[in-house]
Amino acid sequence: MMKEARPYKEIREDSSRIREFDQNISEDELVWHRDEEDRIVIALEPTDWLFQFDNELPQPITSIFIPKGAYHRVIKGSGTLKIKIKDPNDCKCSDCKCAK
């Protein structure tokens, strides 16, 4: 059986993406990485999973702006993690910290 390349399932929804990280995922699959574009990550449900930028303390996942090239990771919590990923250029909300 082939292993998936990504540690999540993804569904495209208009200009955003919904990602789901299963509760049974191995922590070894949640690696430090950089993204090639700015993005906004929003938790779709309350969660105890955490988000961490390099050289910073972990923080709860609520609404986080991730600049292009920023080294970061997700830290496993309990249950399933469901997040929405948005392009800041498409964001029109006032509470996502994207400075729009």
Side-chain angles (χ1 to χ4, degrees):
M1 184 165 94
M2 261 183 97
K3 188 175 180 179
E4 283 187 63
R6 304 283 181 179
Y8 51 79
K9 295 177 196 168
E10 182 175 283
I11 299 169
R12 295 205 177 259
E13 187 178 86
D14 296 323
S15 62
S16 62
R17 294 170 273 171
I18 305 298
R19 288 187 181 167
E20 184 175 306
F21 294 79
D22 189 86
Q23 65 184 359
N24 296 319
I25 191 170
S26 166
E27 290 183 36
D28 294 337
E29 293 183 76
L30 302 173
V31 298
W32 287 95
H33 67 282
R34 292 180 173 97
D35 297 320
E36 296 179 7
E37 58 203 25
D38 291 346
R39 58 184 52 188
I40 299 164
V41 174
I42 301 166
L44 295 177
E45 300 172 349
T47 182
D48 63 350
W49 288 58
L50 299 172
F51 178 89
Q52 185 176 19
F53 283 111
D54 191 28
N55 295 317
E56 293 187 20
L57 294 173
Q59 60 183 294
I61 300 173
T62 52
S63 180
I64 301 168
F65 173 72
I66 306 171
K68 171 184 174 179
Y71 207 44
H72 63 280
R73 69 176 177 161
V74 174
I75 300 171
K76 184 178 176 181
S78 57
T80 299
L81 172 64
K82 291 183 182 177
I83 57 173
K84 178 181 267 192
I85 298 174
K86 296 170 46 174
D87 179 337
N89 295 319
D90 295 332
C91 185
K92 294 172 184 51
C93 63
S94 60
D95 61 348
C96 71
K97 303 176 188 168
C98 68
K100 290 274 178 199

